[in-house]
Amino acid sequence: MLRKIRICAAIVCFVLITLLFLDFTGTVHAWFGWLAKIQFWPAVLALNVGVVMGLIVLTLLLGRVYCSVICPLGVLQDIVSWFAGKRKKRRFSYSPALKWVRYGVLVVFVAACVAGVGSLVALISPYSAYGRIASNLFAPIYQEGNNLLGYIAERMDSYAFYSVDVWVKSVSTLVIALLTFIVIAVLAWRNGRTYCNTICPVGTILGFFSKFSWLRPQIDTDKCNGCGLCARECKASCIDSKTHTIDYNRCVACMDCLDNCRQGAISYTRRRPAPAGNPSGEGKKEVKDASRRRALSATALVAVSSVLNAQQKKTLEEFVEMKKDGGFAPLLERKEPGRLTPLVLPGALSVRNLAQHCTGCQLCVSVCENHVLRPSGDLMTLMQPEMAFDRGYCRPECVKCSEVCPTGAIKPITVEDKSAIQIGHAVWVKDRCIVNTDGVECGNCERHCPTKSIRMVPSDPSDPKSLKIPVINVETCIGCGECEYLCPSRPRSAIYVEGHEMHRTI
């Protein structure tokens, strides 16, 4: 019964968290956005003491239930391992913990957080890793399915579904997400919870507290006949049936051992003192060569994904493609301007604050209806969100990204707050403006500026009838990017937004 309860709770949490990354309407976030905020590492970065202490207390009471129920990456490993179990049953065996790998990764992880190397933190953090997998691999499939339903509904004169654009926001992030999924899937297929118990820093932290858990699986030596069935079914490889011990550092409280013990020798009960001669309860200290090789290969596979990050700019956007505007004029593909300072979201406070707190989970990118956010390709901020205005602009009435961020990298703001936050200012490039290049009237930037920070003045002060050019009031411009997005100049806009290191309220 305990195993069935755990499986049901894990499935519910996994499905709802996955929908947070798939849903493009914002409906799911209104009801279940709190599931992202109770993830361990995002709660640490957000300084959410209540959630962190709650998860630690939960671990002290019940063991690593977080890893087997709440963490989506842990549940994903269980799903892959379950499919592998259909092919080969009872394929696991006990292997001693490689503490030098576990605590080595944890030290590197904490050092990266302190040093502000957000790309390395994002690469290892379990919630962020799953977020990238869901938003880059699962979301396109979900959206294409939605578009198919929209196509069918349209033929039936129904508007129950509407089509959405499906496009690659970042080639480097897509590659990293794919490699991460392959590594996780291979490890889970072969060895169950190897990633959780050897690499994951959150698993290492909670494993420390799990040693002192009040309730835990325990072996009754009077009933155990040493058949080893529990060890062959333990995906955490933490049960040594020969010595009748369980390594509670690595036990994720999945209850599989309880369900498979035919003697009823394992029960989930209050902690008892460790048997004499083995006070640690961690089993044998010798390290098997096979387990060492598995851990080293797992670490190497994870390290490979951190190398492939500098290829984002070499995409199809580097080629000059031609499109038809209403079937008349051919237009060059819009290219991103060379900004000196990247644009970060309203509510992020500053470029530095976003870099220090963001784990690159892609949740804000997934909910951006205006197609403004995309993962960064810069090495130091790899996979963290940055803004671009080639597909849309940051609408002043939209604050969804600030509503869903679980780490505090984007502070919650209201629509009124957003209209007064200056994330950057518009810059006019004289040599690109069609008033000067083609000698025609435009004024598109002035007409669409929501803060009226752009006005058109005669290009020749002595001739009021001369063609008008834009003048920008940088004190009132909030950097929404509407002028850049709607500028007809190609391949680069004649007016673009330059980011600010520190945001300010105007």
Side-chain angles (χ1 to χ4, degrees):
M1 181 60 68
L2 289 175
R3 180 174 179 268
K4 292 179 180 178
I5 293 174
R6 194 270 305 173
I7 291 175
C8 292
I11 291 175
V12 171
C13 287
F14 180 78
V15 170
L16 292 178
I17 292 175
T18 303
L19 285 176
L20 294 180
F21 293 94
L22 304 186
D23 178 47
F24 48 82
T25 64
T27 305
V28 177
H29 291 276
W31 291 93
F32 302 108
W34 56 271
L35 282 170
K37 293 179 171 60
I38 64 170
Q39 301 299 316
F40 185 83
W41 195 247
V44 171
L45 292 177
L47 300 179
N48 196 332
V49 179
V51 171
V52 175
M53 294 304 298
L55 293 176
I56 291 176
V57 170
L58 178 67
T59 305
L60 289 172
L61 289 176
L62 307 178
R64 285 174 57 181
V65 174
Y66 170 86
C67 299
S68 59
V69 175
I70 302 175
C71 177
L73 192 66
V75 180
L76 177 64
Q77 292 175 76
D78 285 347
I79 293 173
V80 174
S81 181
W82 181 79
F83 279 107
K86 295 295 183 181
R87 180 175 175 270
K88 182 180 180 182
K89 296 182 180 296
R90 300 167 186 168
R91 65 192 188 282
F92 304 118
S93 62
Y94 171 75
S95 61
L98 297 180
K99 293 184 179 180
W100 64 275
V101 176
R102 298 177 67 200
Y103 290 105
V105 173
L106 178 61
V107 169
V108 172
F109 183 79
V110 174
C113 291
V114 175
V117 186
S119 55
L120 183 57
V121 175
L123 191 65
I124 305 176
S125 176
Y127 168 73
S128 302
Y130 181 76
R132 288 189 298 275
I133 292 172
S135 60
N136 287 276
L137 304 182
F138 301 161
I141 299 174
Y142 179 85
Q143 292 166 357
E144 289 292 2
N146 170 82
N147 291 346
L148 177 61
L149 292 176
Y151 176 82
I152 296 174
E154 183 181 357
R155 297 299 181 273
M156 301 172 64
D157 294 328
S158 171
Y159 296 94
F161 300 91
Y162 60 91
S163 298
V164 294
D165 292 334
V166 182
W167 55 290
V168 177
K169 299 178 177 66
S170 169
V171 174
S172 60
T173 302
L174 175 62
V175 171
I176 291 174
L178 181 60
L179 287 176
T180 302
F181 178 75
I182 292 173
V183 169
I184 296 297
V186 169
L187 292 178
W189 186 273
R190 297 182 59 185
N191 303 306
R193 287 281 190 138
T194 301
Y195 181 87
C196 284
N197 292 330
T198 306
I199 300 171
C200 178
V202 174
T204 301
I205 294 172
L206 295 181
F208 172 79
F209 294 102
S210 181
K211 290 192 301 182
F212 311 101
S213 61
W214 183 54
L215 295 177
R216 56 171 62 178
Q218 297 191 93
I219 301 175
D220 187 343
T221 55
D222 294 333
K223 296 181 179 180
C224 180
N225 62 358
C227 68
L229 186 60
C230 55
R232 294 198 298 271
E233 292 287 350
C234 179
K235 53 179 172 279
S237 300
C238 66
I239 301 179
D240 188 351
S241 57
K242 295 181 179 179
T243 59
H244 306 287
T245 56
I246 300 175
D247 182 357
Y248 296 107
N249 269 308
R250 294 180 292 160
C251 177
V252 294
C254 66
M255 312 300 174
D256 287 354
C257 54
L258 277 70
D259 198 53
N260 287 280
C261 182
R262 297 173 180 174
Q263 308 299 323
I266 304 180
S267 58
Y268 186 66
T269 184
R270 290 178 296 176
R271 177 163 55 97
R272 294 192 296 264
N278 189 19
S280 65
E282 295 182 1
K284 300 177 181 179
K285 298 298 181 182
E286 62 270 14
V287 178
K288 296 181 181 180
D289 292 337
S291 63
R292 184 186 296 273
R293 287 195 298 269
R294 287 198 298 268
L296 290 174
S297 62
T299 306
L301 286 171
V302 172
V304 167
S305 61
S306 65
V307 180
L308 300 172
N309 50 58
Q311 299 300 320
Q312 179 182 8
K313 298 302 179 183
K314 295 182 179 180
T315 64
L316 294 178
E317 294 181 359
E318 294 297 321
F319 298 98
V320 178
E321 298 180 356
M322 304 301 293
K323 290 186 177 181
K324 296 293 181 179
D325 181 16
F328 296 102
L331 294 177
L332 293 174
E333 185 75 15
R334 186 193 298 274
K335 292 184 177 181
E336 182 73 5
R339 307 184 207 274
L340 299 177
T341 304
L343 278 166
V344 296
L345 310 77
L349 304 182
S350 66
V351 174
R352 181 179 180 182
N353 179 73
L354 183 72
Q356 289 181 335
H357 292 84
C358 179
T359 62
C361 72
Q362 313 298 305
L363 192 54
C364 58
V365 178
S366 300
V367 301
C368 182
E369 295 180 341
N370 306 314
H371 305 299
V372 171
L373 299 182
R374 66 233 25 215
S376 170
D378 184 78
L379 181 61
M380 295 303 294
T381 59
L382 186 66
M383 300 176 287
Q384 296 182 354
E386 63 180 15
M387 304 175 74
F389 303 123
D390 55 339
R391 288 177 172 266
Y393 64 94
C394 191
R395 298 182 181 273
E397 69 274 12
C398 177
V399 292
K400 283 189 176 181
C401 55
S402 72
E403 294 173 347
V404 303
C405 180
T407 66
I410 311 170
K411 305 297 182 183
I413 58 174
T414 64
V415 174
E416 292 76 14
D417 293 334
K418 184 177 181 179
S419 62
I421 296 176
Q422 187 182 60
I423 64 173
H425 65 274
V427 177
W428 179 59
V429 183
K430 177 181 178 181
D431 296 335
R432 297 179 190 166
C433 186
I434 64 172
V435 174
N436 295 321
T437 59
D438 297 347
V440 296
E441 290 279 3
C442 182
N444 217 26
C445 50
E446 180 193 42
R447 286 193 297 272
H448 294 93
C449 179
T451 60
K452 305 302 178 184
S453 299
I454 302 175
R455 64 186 183 92
M456 305 299 291
V457 300
S459 56
D460 184 358
S462 61
D463 182 9
K465 295 184 179 181
S466 61
L467 294 176
K468 293 183 178 182
I469 57 176
V471 173
I472 303 165
N473 183 350
V474 297
E475 295 298 321
T476 60
C477 175
I478 60 174
C480 68
E482 187 166 358
C483 55
E484 178 181 330
Y485 171 63
L486 295 173
C487 179
S489 177
R490 295 293 188 278
R492 288 184 170 85
S493 299
I495 190 167
Y496 73 95
V497 180
E498 182 62 50
H500 288 177
E501 288 281 351
M502 292 283 296
H503 297 173
R504 72 184 185 94
T505 302
I506 59 175

